Amino acid sequence: MLTALSNRIGDVALLLAIAWMLNYGSWNYIFYLDMMKNNIEMMIIGGLVMLAAMTKSAQIPFSSWLPAAMAAPTPVSALVHSSTLVTAGVYLLIRFNDVLMNWWMAQFLLLVSGLTMFMAGLGANFEFDLKKIIALSTLSQLGLMMSILSMGFYKLAFFHLLTHALFKALLFMCAGSIIHNMKNSQDIRMMGSLSMSMPLTCSCFNVANLALCGMPFLAGFYSKDLILEMVMLSYVNVFSFFLFFFSTGLTVCYSFRLVYYSMTGDFNSS
């Protein structure tokens, strides 16, 4: 219910933007975006699209629905949380990036998505539900995509969206296999020494985790390292800089916490 009611806001903003773009005679906005991007109507449409993207991609005022949407089965979450629903807002903003750039909304989006990235990474370090940790990891990577998109590097945001979608789907598949073999227990405190009992699942899990952390010479390294390099080469203040780099460190932290709780040690279930 929380997911449905939160997403209604984004749906309403999206429908309002569609109805307002009827004034231009066509929805092929990619042809007249360069000419119309300074009009006040196109700025209002861009604001509505940004509101829709912030609800669909679960940025900070609307971010509570993404960890709460964990009641779905794991294959559904593998599709929804990696490549379908939450990346639709990012993709919408990639398409509309010209409208955002010459306006103050981009700076607001940078602040909000950086705070989302930091909050999700911090929250995942204190979570004991396996699927909720992976959902908060999704939220953190979405904040990274939105923040680098609000700085104008839309191709980097798309590249990170693709690598994150692939490895997050693999991560959810491994988590579903682990939960099924744990007899539907999602608590990571009950797990332990899974690398001895499920070696193939844990190998895939480790590969996906390391790729999302940005391990060198895996696919996630190329997108994430390029994003951080562009942040260092850009003109951002020290607060945004701290949010980017500390959140990347928190990603590594909760990934290795997950590995420590589930793969190593003794099997803790009764």
Side-chain angles (χ1 to χ4, degrees):
M1 202 61 189
L2 181 65
T3 307
L5 291 179
S6 299
N7 273 298
R8 281 317 117 206
I9 306 172
D11 293 342
V12 164
L14 205 54
L15 288 172
L16 278 173
I18 287 173
W20 204 312
M21 282 175 76
L22 199 58
N23 293 334
Y24 289 124
S26 155
W27 284 298
N28 289 329
Y29 56 90
I30 203 152
F31 296 126
Y32 53 79
L33 203 58
D34 292 335
M35 188 178 67
M36 300 276 193
K37 65 185 176 186
N38 293 317
N39 286 4
I40 184 66
E41 292 94 354
M42 199 43 120
M43 283 187 174
I44 292 173
I45 288 174
L48 286 173
V49 164
M50 194 180 125
L51 177 64
M54 280 172 63
T55 44
K56 289 296 178 192
S57 292
Q59 299 303 302
I60 254 184
F62 317 108
S63 62
S64 57
W65 67 265
L66 187 64
M70 282 289 100
T74 325
V76 179
S77 347
L79 288 174
V80 165
H81 290 318
S82 70
S83 54
T84 317
L85 175 67
V86 292
T87 55
V90 180
Y91 188 73
L92 205 60
L93 282 189
I94 287 173
R95 283 301 191 197
F96 274 92
N97 69 320
D98 275 343
V99 185
L100 279 146
M101 273 309 111
N102 44 10
W103 202 26
W104 56 268
M105 291 298 263
Q107 291 153 352
F108 172 70
L109 186 64
L110 176 65
L111 171 70
V112 162
S113 49
L115 285 174
T116 307
M117 174 167 57
F118 179 65
M119 174 201 71
L122 201 59
N125 275 304
F126 297 101
E127 194 61 60
F128 285 112
D129 191 337
L130 178 63
K131 287 179 77 175
K132 202 167 276 192
I133 288 174
I134 304 180
L136 286 168
S137 158
T138 306
L139 196 51
S140 169
Q141 308 282 342
L142 277 172
L144 181 65
M145 290 175 222
M146 294 283 264
S147 48
I148 195 65
L149 178 59
S150 65
M151 287 167 63
F153 302 105
Y154 62 99
K155 290 179 180 173
L156 290 186
F158 187 61
F159 183 30
H160 192 62
L161 190 147
L162 293 181
T163 55
H164 165 257
L166 181 70
F167 288 109
K168 189 52 65 74
L170 176 61
L171 205 58
F172 264 115
M173 282 295 155
C174 297
S177 172
I178 287 173
I179 288 169
H180 179 67
N181 284 318
M182 289 287 299
K183 214 163 176 227
N184 299 331
S185 160
Q186 295 186 12
D187 202 334
I188 61 171
R189 288 171 293 192
M190 302 288 182
M191 301 171 192
S193 76
L194 287 180
S195 55
M196 306 304 284
S197 49
M198 309 169 66
L200 183 63
T201 304
C202 289
S203 308
C204 295
F205 196 85
N206 278 327
V207 166
N209 245 339
L210 286 175
L212 286 174
C213 285
M215 170 91 178
F217 309 112
L218 292 176
F221 166 73
Y222 291 105
S223 62
K224 205 165 196 175
D225 186 74
L226 204 54
I227 285 175
L228 292 180
E229 186 180 358
M230 283 302 156
V231 169
M232 283 194 283
L233 290 176
S234 301
Y235 184 69
V236 289
N237 53 3
V238 70
F239 183 60
S240 301
F241 195 84
F242 167 76
L243 283 181
F244 269 103
F245 282 86
F246 198 69
S247 305
T248 308
L250 285 175
T251 304
V252 181
C253 192
Y254 64 70
S255 295
F256 278 95
R257 172 181 178 265
L258 194 56
V259 169
Y260 169 72
Y261 268 102
S262 57
M263 311 280 169
T264 65
D266 296 328
F267 188 61
N268 286 324
S269 179
S270 58

